[in-house]
Amino acid sequence: MNKHPEPIGPSEEQQITLRGPAELADALPYLMGFHPNDSVVMVALHGGRGRVGGRLRLGIPQSAQEWPAIAEQLAECLIKGSERRGERPDAIVLFLCQDPVDGETGNRTMERLRPFAQRLRTACGALDVPVLEALCISGNRFWSYVCPDARCCPAEGNPLAVPGTSVMAAAATYAGIQVRGSLREMEARLAPLTRTSGDAQLRALDSAGSAMVPLLFDPERRKEVGAATLKLARRIMDRLGQAPPATPSLADINDDRLITDEEAASVILGLQDRETRDKAAEWMEGADADAALRLWRALARRCVGPYEEHAAAPLTLAGWVSWSTGDEPAARVALGLALRADPHYTFAQLLHEACNQGLDPETLRRCLRGERGTRTARHTRRAERVAGARSARVRPASSPRGPGASGTARVARVRPVGRARTRSASTRPSPGAAGRRRTLRPGTRGRRGIGTGR
């Protein structure tokens, strides 16, 4: 279960009227951007005409003992979150989406989830916001927990509309809104490789870990590892960018073939360093964004076996690039999986909260551009100082040889104006210099001691 709810801010107002449970059920994938499998979805309504506002999604808890507490948390999250954005909901529409399991029928699934629906309705009512409609969607059929009229809501449920045939589908197509498939399919693109294909990757991760872990806790060597990681990542991105376009599933297969197990292991472990990961986050727009997103997805799939927690870094980067490029549904899926891999991963927590609050990613983009600009300026100044030091050494033109002339010309050293003459001294460090060197204090470590920061 994903325990991090995913509220979605109000979208631009659409002049589409939804009448009754059937049209509400058909509109759900367009409201979310995907088909929310195994999810509870709550939608805030505003005003007398029921304008759609914030939306919230959470994986349905497997244990019924969690339902009371989760229901209260979800109701408070949606209502209080809407208030923080400036508008308290006037009503809520509730969806419970779960396919039948273990041979049960859709009707049985609906009845099993009925107590959860009632808990959610009670929790919203306790905050003085009524639930206008509560639907269960299971096995391509839907049921209403609110409507008592068997003529429109029979006990056997109603079939869902054929995809693409409703008014909502037509309006969404006209507006350019796409449904990316099911939540399960979106998560599968980021899931670890199967055991058969992941064995070689696991060996590569073990081998790279033995070589890289000691280096990550040495200040100078860690910088070298970070630079090498970013250089390798850039080289892979260039390789991916040259690959011909393909459908998503085929593109993922092609991307996996273009990245060796050793390359993936090196970049995955290198990204466990916070500074390296933050620099990689600068590939968030323009021509870099698409290739970077493909790389982060591929690396998330390579975090197999005991290294699944390491997926938090590439998953968070995938979520960040998706959010930065305007794909909020994909961003929430990736960030939710990052927090599932490591619930305490700070970068994912911050991005998840910012995305859910409807903040503009341009604020973070500006910050990352500033960091990159500062680093570039610092590198330029350093290069200029080196060039200036070299040009300060001037060799005069050779003088004609004559009586008393030296056989070799002496090199004239030009000292910068205002610098005091220093006496000659040995360039060797003093005996106590080594003891005065600043030692590295490692940051937050992962459970396997590889991470140097979150």
Side-chain angles (χ1 to χ4, degrees):
M1 181 190 71
N2 176 13
K3 295 200 176 199
H4 299 273
E6 301 171 0
I8 304 176
S11 61
E12 295 182 3
E13 186 172 352
Q14 302 289 335
Q15 298 299 321
I16 302 172
T17 302
L18 302 177
R19 300 178 178 87
E23 293 187 358
L24 283 172
D26 178 69
L28 180 60
Y30 302 99
L31 293 174
M32 302 300 294
F34 54 88
H35 295 273
N37 312 97
D38 297 323
S39 300
V40 50
V41 177
M42 301 173 69
V43 180
L45 303 179
H46 302 275
R49 302 184 63 181
R51 175 175 52 85
V52 172
R55 282 141 281 179
L56 180 149
R57 188 207 71 84
L58 182 72
I60 295 177
Q62 295 182 357
S63 173
Q65 296 179 352
E66 299 182 63
W67 290 353
I70 291 295
E72 294 178 1
Q73 293 175 13
L74 291 178
E76 182 176 1
C77 182
L78 180 60
I79 295 171
K80 300 299 184 183
S82 298
E83 289 178 341
R84 285 194 298 269
R85 289 189 290 270
E87 194 171 9
R88 180 179 175 84
D90 294 293
I92 289 174
V93 173
L94 167 68
F95 301 86
L96 292 176
C97 309
Q98 190 173 79
D99 289 332
V101 294
D102 298 330
E104 67 180 5
T105 62
N107 187 279
R108 176 57 185 158
T109 301
M110 180 270 296
E111 291 295 343
R112 176 168 52 80
L113 295 176
R114 184 183 290 276
F116 189 28
Q118 185 59 39
R119 291 281 188 180
L120 289 163
R121 295 174 65 188
T122 301
C124 293
L127 296 175
D128 296 325
V129 180
V131 172
L132 187 66
E133 180 62 88
L135 299 178
C136 177
I137 300 176
S138 180
N140 292 321
R141 303 183 76 84
F142 70 89
W143 291 260
S144 172
Y145 290 118
V146 174
C147 180
D149 192 343
R151 292 173 297 179
C152 61
C153 297
E156 66 274 13
N158 288 303
L160 293 171
V162 177
T165 61
S166 66
V167 174
M168 183 66 182
T173 301
Y174 178 77
I177 300 175
Q178 297 181 353
V179 177
R180 294 165 178 78
S182 68
L183 174 63
R184 189 179 298 114
E185 292 169 344
M186 296 177 70
E187 290 181 341
R189 298 189 67 187
L190 303 168
L193 299 174
T194 60
R195 179 176 178 81
T196 302
S197 54
D199 287 344
Q201 183 62 68
L202 180 57
R203 290 192 295 270
L205 285 165
D206 287 339
S207 177
S210 300
M212 292 178 63
V213 169
L215 306 181
L216 290 175
F217 297 107
D218 179 273
E220 296 302 324
R221 301 303 299 275
R222 186 179 65 179
K223 293 179 180 178
E224 296 174 4
V225 171
T229 298
L230 295 173
K231 185 177 180 180
L232 176 58
R234 168 60 75 177
R235 191 161 63 246
I236 297 173
M237 286 169 54
D238 293 340
R239 191 186 309 159
L240 296 176
Q242 296 172 1
T247 59
S249 57
L250 184 58
D252 291 345
I253 295 174
N254 291 338
D255 291 349
D256 288 336
R257 291 173 177 171
L258 291 172
I259 305 173
T260 67
D261 294 329
E262 291 72 21
E263 289 175 331
S266 295
V267 180
I268 288 170
L269 294 174
L271 290 176
Q272 304 309 305
D273 175 62
R274 179 181 58 81
E275 294 182 6
T276 304
R277 181 209 62 201
D278 290 350
K279 292 177 182 178
E282 295 171 5
W283 298 324
M284 76 276 185
E285 56 189 344
D288 290 335
D290 180 66
L293 180 58
R294 292 167 61 184
L295 173 59
W296 307 143
R297 284 173 174 166
L299 294 181
R301 294 191 292 269
R302 300 297 188 95
C303 295
V304 297
Y307 295 90
E308 288 187 8
E309 183 184 300
H310 286 64
L315 284 170
T316 301
L317 290 171
W320 160 235
V321 175
S322 297
W323 184 36
S324 177
T325 54
D327 191 351
E328 292 188 7
R332 289 186 178 86
V333 171
L335 293 172
L337 290 177
L339 291 171
R340 187 184 302 175
D342 185 352
H344 305 292
Y345 199 72
T346 306
F347 192 30
Q349 291 175 337
L350 295 175
L351 288 177
H352 196 260
E353 180 67 18
C355 185
N356 288 342
Q357 292 298 326
L359 300 182
D360 187 351
E362 178 58 21
T363 303
L364 181 53
R365 283 197 296 261
R366 255 194 321 265
C367 179
L368 290 174
R369 292 190 204 107
E371 291 289 337
R372 181 170 53 197
T374 301
R375 193 169 59 252
T376 301
R378 189 184 305 119
H379 177 75
T380 301
R381 288 194 299 269
R382 187 182 301 115
E384 290 174 349
R385 285 197 300 268
V386 173
R390 290 175 178 172
S391 63
R393 296 183 177 184
V394 180
R395 182 181 297 274
S398 58
S399 60
R401 294 178 181 272
S406 174
T408 58
R410 296 176 60 85
V411 176
R413 298 184 182 274
V414 180
R415 295 184 179 87
V417 176
R419 178 173 296 180
R421 182 187 299 270
T422 58
R423 62 181 179 179
S424 175
S426 173
T427 58
R428 296 179 181 178
S430 62
R436 293 195 299 270
R437 290 175 183 168
R438 183 173 59 86
T439 58
L440 173 67
R441 293 185 62 190
T444 306
R445 300 187 182 184
R447 281 194 277 270
R448 286 170 300 282
I450 293 180
T452 59
R454 294 301 187 193

